Amino acid sequence: MTESIWESVQRAQQLLYARGLDTNAAELAIRAVTGKSQADYLASLREQLPHEPCSQFWSYIQELLKGKPIQYILGEESFYGYSFEVNEHVLIPRPETEELVYHALERANKLFGDRLIQVADIGTGSGAIAVAFKKERLSADVTATDFSEEALKVAKRNAERNEADITFLQGDMEEPLAQQKWDVILSNPPYIAEQEKEEMSPTVYDFEPASALFAEEEGLYFYRRLAERLSPMLNKPAFIGFEIGYLQGEKVQNFLQEAFPQAEVEIIQDINKKDRMIFCEIR
């Protein structure tokens, strides 16, 4: 028996809802198999779903019901208006990280005007921060690092996909950057404490790379390490921008203030009024 697009989506949403999973994924799945924009999808809810797209749709729903994120099933996610390939080797880019890019660009414009600046993204993953920053500020020379060879392959493909000229270096966090001076250093490092795993959705910890999620010292290891090691790598003026866990602001602020006593260190909230970013400006 054939179903309409609307009936298929409704049935899929009920199954997802019963498992406590994201029901919006059903619409994304149907749009992917039919190739429809959101407007076209809404205009065609009463149409019958042909056999082949129907079969593909239900295979996606079966994967969703196992908890696999829709972004990994479709192999892509949008970030800052650009399209990124994602797979199990990289974190799925999130809206909170878009806010880090937005505030970093705003700060760079104020501090440097339109001159050429040296920008580094530490732990780049999919390359989302590096690519978005470069696309929005063409007068930036952007370098991105990651420890994972597989993640760097994804990031390089994303740079090509978005026609962004970026230098990629493999290595442990800041280490590949030590031979040069930087105007801007950005990072969204792993910051979840191991004990927080039980509060997380299995959709995240069963599928996204653990090395990009969890950090020692109650999630603070990389912030402390970077605060202690970045000083010799920075020009003056310069700034550091981190994404942080919403309860980590004060501790990360203390790391940075201790390492840069003369710097202005500012915690910035995200759209949900949670501490989400921290900027350290060195003049």
Side-chain angles (χ1 to χ4, degrees), residues 12 18 27 50 64 75 99 116 156 174 205 213 253 258 263 282:
E27 181 188 324
L64 286 168
E99 294 191 61
L116 173 69
K156 286 174 183 175
E174 80 295 333
Y205 66 70
L213 291 168
Q253 186 175 38
E258 204 171 299
I282 301 106

Side-chain angles (χ1 to χ4, degrees), residues 27-82:
E27 181 188 324
L28 295 174
I30 203 87
R31 284 171 49 196
V33 301
T34 58
K36 292 182 184 295
S37 67
Q38 188 172 31
D40 289 341
Y41 159 72
L42 292 171
S44 61
L45 290 176
R46 301 294 169 190
E47 289 177 11
Q48 297 299 297
L49 187 59
H51 175 73
E52 201 169 309
C54 182
S55 174
Q56 182 69 69
F57 173 70
W58 285 105
S59 75
Y60 285 171
I61 298 303
Q62 289 309 309
E63 290 191 79
L64 286 168
L65 289 169
K66 294 173 189 168
K68 190 170 185 178
I70 185 69
Q71 294 90 341
Y72 286 160
I73 294 169
L74 302 182
E76 64 181 7
E77 175 64 314
S78 175
F79 180 86
Y80 221 86
Y82 304 101

Side-chain angles (χ1 to χ4, degrees), residues 147-160:
F147 187 75
S148 162
E149 186 179 346
E150 292 301 324
L152 280 178
K153 287 178 185 173
V154 176
K156 286 174 183 175
R157 288 197 295 271
N158 280 324
E160 289 168 14

Side-chain angles (χ1 to χ4, degrees), residues 5-281:
I5 288 174
W6 183 81
E7 287 167 334
S8 295
V9 171
Q10 285 289 299
R11 191 152 64 91
Q13 287 179 333
Q14 287 166 4
L15 291 168
L16 292 166
Y17 181 79
R19 301 244 181 127
L21 297 165
D22 179 14
T23 57
N24 292 326
E27 181 188 324
L28 295 174
I30 203 87
R31 284 171 49 196
V33 301
T34 58
K36 292 182 184 295
S37 67
Q38 188 172 31
D40 289 341
Y41 159 72
L42 292 171
S44 61
L45 290 176
R46 301 294 169 190
E47 289 177 11
Q48 297 299 297
L49 187 59
H51 175 73
E52 201 169 309
C54 182
S55 174
Q56 182 69 69
F57 173 70
W58 285 105
S59 75
Y60 285 171
I61 298 303
Q62 289 309 309
E63 290 191 79
L64 286 168
L65 289 169
K66 294 173 189 168
K68 190 170 185 178
I70 185 69
Q71 294 90 341
Y72 286 160
I73 294 169
L74 302 182
E76 64 181 7
E77 175 64 314
S78 175
F79 180 86
Y80 221 86
Y82 304 101
S83 173
F84 287 82
E85 173 193 338
V86 291
N87 62 26
E88 71 278 6
H89 299 297
V90 299
L91 282 189
I92 298 163
R94 287 164 166 79
E96 295 88 345
T97 311
E98 290 180 320
E99 294 191 61
L100 175 70
V101 173
Y102 172 81
H103 286 283
L105 286 163
E106 201 173 52
R107 200 165 285 252
N109 289 338
K110 284 180 186 167
L111 200 56
F112 306 112
D114 58 4
R115 76 170 174 84
L116 173 69
I117 56 172
Q118 300 296 322
V119 180
D121 172 27
I122 295 175
T124 196
S126 66
I129 291 173
V131 169
F133 196 99
K134 175 65 179 177
K135 294 295 288 184
E136 296 295 312
R137 187 182 170 103
L138 297 174
S139 62
D141 192 350
V142 180
T143 298
T145 77
D146 207 286
F147 187 75
S148 162
E149 186 179 346
E150 292 301 324
L152 280 178
K153 287 178 185 173
V154 176
K156 286 174 183 175
R157 288 197 295 271
N158 280 324
E160 289 168 14
R161 178 183 192 138
N162 288 288
E163 299 181 337
D165 183 12
I166 291 167
T167 302
F168 291 99
L169 301 173
Q170 186 178 2
D172 189 6
M173 295 300 282
E174 80 295 333
E175 288 177 5
L177 305 173
Q179 307 311 311
Q180 194 178 331
K181 294 273 193 179
W182 304 90
D183 301 301
V184 177
I185 293 183
L186 302 174
S187 186
N188 176 20
Y191 60 70
I192 300 170
E194 194 65 45
Q195 63 266 29
E196 291 178 63
K197 185 174 179 179
E198 60 201 42
E199 300 166 25
M200 295 169 65
S201 163
T203 302
V204 176
Y205 66 70
D206 281 351
F207 292 94
E208 299 197 58
S211 61
L213 291 168
F214 299 103
E216 295 173 1
E217 299 177 24
E218 298 187 330
L220 294 166
Y221 167 73
F222 290 108
Y223 299 118
R224 180 185 60 72
R225 168 179 167 164
L226 291 172
E228 289 172 357
R229 298 187 187 184
L230 290 182
S231 182
M233 304 180 203
L234 291 165
N235 286 320
K236 283 188 181 178
F239 72 83
I240 300 163
F242 294 148
E243 182 174 329
I244 57 172
Y246 71 98
L247 297 174
Q248 295 174 323
E250 194 177 326
K251 287 178 179 173
V252 179
Q253 186 175 38
N254 289 340
F255 291 151
L256 289 166
Q257 208 71 75
E258 204 171 299
F260 302 94
Q262 308 304 316
E264 182 185 317
V265 183
E266 185 182 2
I267 298 169
I268 295 181
Q269 294 186 327
D270 63 20
I271 199 169
N272 298 311
K273 304 293 183 204
K274 290 186 174 182
D275 291 353
R276 186 60 65 191
M277 294 147 275
I278 193 157
F279 286 93
C280 174
E281 198 167 294

